[in-house]
């Protein structure tokens, strides 16, 4: 009898252990589903690499070498030999406006930063990009002209990966764009928002037809090319879900990472604040400016607005700004006097590189802090 009871007890224990193992397995599968989905998506497209190479707007590198979709299921894909007509006869049709949803988009992308990267490779993969990092679609008329502005200092390693991924994405999105690196001269405290103000003015000096401005950190790469880099009826926040935040919006008023405003929207809020020296606060001030001027922030779906961040240590001379919380509370009083209307800077050098335009500027230094007495 004792042996029978012992056997029944052991059987129940085994069943309980088995159920716990099964539950653990299910939880693990749920938590890592997105990661597995990306890899499965990548390998499912591996056999179609030749089609990707034939497409004029695909990136032939391994991490970004995915096959573009060509519209609804059953739709015929363009012929590999199909090229824009070079016949300039009287019957040639003029270019049509680019579609709101470009037909060559891929969707979810596999983004990784472990493969070696060089500027020569980026240039080799993007032969259609013109000097200064400029591109215009050859087969349609883009609806906007976009200046992409990156505040910068000592991030050459990150810039290579950013260009490697973003050039092919932007080309597939049929964007007419120029990329501007706004490089802060010297080693004084970093000022992200002031650099972006400089970029706005300098980009317009370079091409007055820009009507849309995308402001992006150099360490953030979109994971889905359906996150369209263009301007909308309301100011746009693109970086909805970063990996460092668990692919979630950290708080409702978050406007950091990657954002976009039209020329008129930017001028309506008097640009960005110039007085946020060091890390933090300027994006919350910008959000306040947008709200105080009667506009609302628009965002893509959380499943599309995902970003990978290149891991790094915080830069020297970019320590957290201890005054940021006080300044954020005073946006209403400061936004009319502090912004694009009060901007002062000096251009040190403008250099047009094959994949981008570098603008090195001197923007001054933070005012001395009053001693507490």
């Amino acid at each position: 009898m004792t042996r029978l009871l012992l056997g029944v007890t052991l059987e129940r224990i085994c069943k309980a252990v088995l159920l716990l193992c099964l539950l653990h397995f299910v939880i693990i599968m749920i938590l890592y589903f997105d990661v597995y989905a990306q890899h499965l998506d990548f390998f499912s497209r591996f056999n179609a690499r030749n089609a990707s190479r034939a497409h004029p707007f695909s990136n032939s590198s391994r991490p970004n070498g995915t096959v573009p979709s060509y519209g609804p299921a059953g739709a015929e894909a363009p012929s590999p030999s199909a090229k824009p007509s070079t016949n300039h006869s009287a019957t040639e049709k003029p270019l049509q406006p680019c579609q709101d949803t470009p037909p060559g988009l891929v969707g979810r992308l596999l983004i990784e930063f472990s493969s070696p990267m060089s500027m020569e490779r980026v240039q080799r993969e993007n032969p259609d990009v013109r000097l200064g990092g400029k591109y215009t679609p050859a087969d349609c008329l883009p609806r906007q002209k976009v200046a992409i502005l990156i505040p910068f200092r000592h991030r050459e390693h990150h810039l290579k990966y950013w260009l490697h991924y973003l050039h092919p994405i932007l080309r597939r999105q049929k964007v007419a764009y120029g990329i501007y690196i706004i490089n802060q001269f010297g080693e004084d405290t970093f000022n992200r928002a002031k650099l972006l103000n400089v970029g706005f003015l300098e980009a317009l000096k370079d091409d007055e037809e820009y009507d849309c401005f995308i402001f992006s950190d150099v360490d953030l790469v979109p994971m889905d090319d359906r996150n369209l880099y263009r301007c909308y009826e309301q100011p746009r926040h693109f970086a909805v879900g970063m990996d460092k935040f668990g692919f979630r919006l950290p708080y409702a008023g978050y406007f950091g990472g990657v954002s976009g405003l039209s020329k008129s929207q930017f001028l309506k809020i008097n640009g960005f604040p110039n007085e946020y020296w060091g890390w933090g606060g300027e994006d919350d001030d910008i959000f306040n400016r947008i709200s105080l001027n009667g506009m609302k922030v628009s965002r893509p779906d959380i499943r599309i607005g995902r970003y990978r961040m290149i891991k790094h240590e915080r830069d020297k001379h970019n320590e957290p700004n201890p005054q940021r919380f006080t300044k954020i509370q005073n946006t209403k009083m400061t936004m009319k006097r502090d912004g694009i209307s009060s901007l002062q800077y000096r251009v040190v050098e403008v250099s047009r590189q094959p994949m981008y335009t570098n603008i090195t500027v001197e923007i001054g230094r933070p005012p001395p802090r009053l001693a507490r007495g």
Side-chain angles (χ1 to χ4, degrees), residues 214-285:
I214 307 295
F215 310 93
S216 175
D217 290 344
V218 74
D219 56 2
L220 287 174
V221 175
M223 298 174 63
D224 197 309
D225 62 3
R226 292 171 295 178
N227 192 359
L228 301 177
Y229 274 34
R230 62 173 63 154
C231 288
Y232 297 78
E233 292 184 2
Q234 299 291 335
R236 189 75 163 180
H237 181 225
F238 296 94
V240 181
M242 301 181 197
D243 53 357
K244 75 169 185 175
F245 295 138
F247 297 113
R248 290 178 174 86
L249 192 68
Y251 52 92
Y254 184 67
F255 198 68
V258 185
S259 58
L261 290 88
S262 69
K263 181 180 178 180
S264 60
Q265 291 166 354
F266 187 86
L267 293 175
K268 187 175 183 178
I269 65 172
N270 193 22
F272 297 164
N274 298 312
E275 299 179 358
Y276 283 82
W277 297 90
W279 180 87
E282 79 285 346
D283 45 3
D284 294 311
D285 190 295

Side-chain angles (χ1 to χ4, degrees), residues 61-249:
S61 63
R62 183 182 63 83
N64 212 8
T66 46
V67 180
S69 58
Y70 296 103
E76 184 177 353
S79 168
S81 60
K83 296 181 180 179
S85 173
T86 56
N87 181 13
H88 297 283
S89 65
T91 60
E92 184 178 4
K93 294 182 178 180
L95 290 178
Q96 298 298 311
C98 298
Q99 299 181 36
D100 284 336
T101 303
L105 298 180
V106 173
R108 183 74 63 85
L109 303 170
L110 177 64
I111 306 296
E112 56 88 20
F113 307 113
S114 58
S115 300
M117 189 56 57
S118 67
M119 203 61 74
E120 291 75 18
R121 175 180 171 182
V122 176
Q123 186 175 352
R124 188 170 59 250
E125 293 171 347
N126 299 279
D128 296 333
V129 176
R130 304 191 307 277
L131 183 66
K134 298 182 178 182
Y135 175 80
T136 302
D139 56 351
C140 64
L141 295 174
R143 300 174 184 272
Q144 299 176 355
K145 197 159 192 178
V146 182
I148 302 175
L149 312 177
I150 300 178
F152 189 87
R153 186 167 65 183
H154 305 322
R155 293 287 194 90
E156 288 76 10
H157 176 70
H158 294 172
L159 180 60
K160 296 173 186 176
Y161 286 102
W162 191 94
L163 294 168
H164 165 68
Y165 285 111
L166 264 296
H167 270 305
I169 289 174
L170 295 168
R171 288 160 55 210
R172 289 197 297 271
Q173 291 182 356
K174 302 295 183 181
V175 180
Y177 66 90
I179 294 175
Y180 297 86
I181 306 302
I182 316 302
N183 181 40
Q184 181 170 333
F185 179 77
E187 298 299 328
D188 285 314
T189 306
F190 195 70
N191 191 323
R192 176 180 181 269
K194 191 172 185 178
L195 290 172
L196 294 175
N197 278 342
V198 172
F200 176 84
L201 292 181
E202 291 299 315
L204 285 174
K205 289 180 184 178
D206 186 45
D207 190 338
E208 61 182 11
E209 293 186 0
Y210 285 124
D211 53 4
C212 176
F213 297 83
I214 307 295
F215 310 93
S216 175
D217 290 344
V218 74
D219 56 2
L220 287 174
V221 175
M223 298 174 63
D224 197 309
D225 62 3
R226 292 171 295 178
N227 192 359
L228 301 177
Y229 274 34
R230 62 173 63 154
C231 288
Y232 297 78
E233 292 184 2
Q234 299 291 335
R236 189 75 163 180
H237 181 225
F238 296 94
V240 181
M242 301 181 197
D243 53 357
K244 75 169 185 175
F245 295 138
F247 297 113
R248 290 178 174 86
L249 192 68

Side-chain angles (χ1 to χ4, degrees), residues 277 323 365-371:
W277 297 90
Q323 301 175 334
R365 60 182 61 184
R369 295 173 186 169
L370 295 176

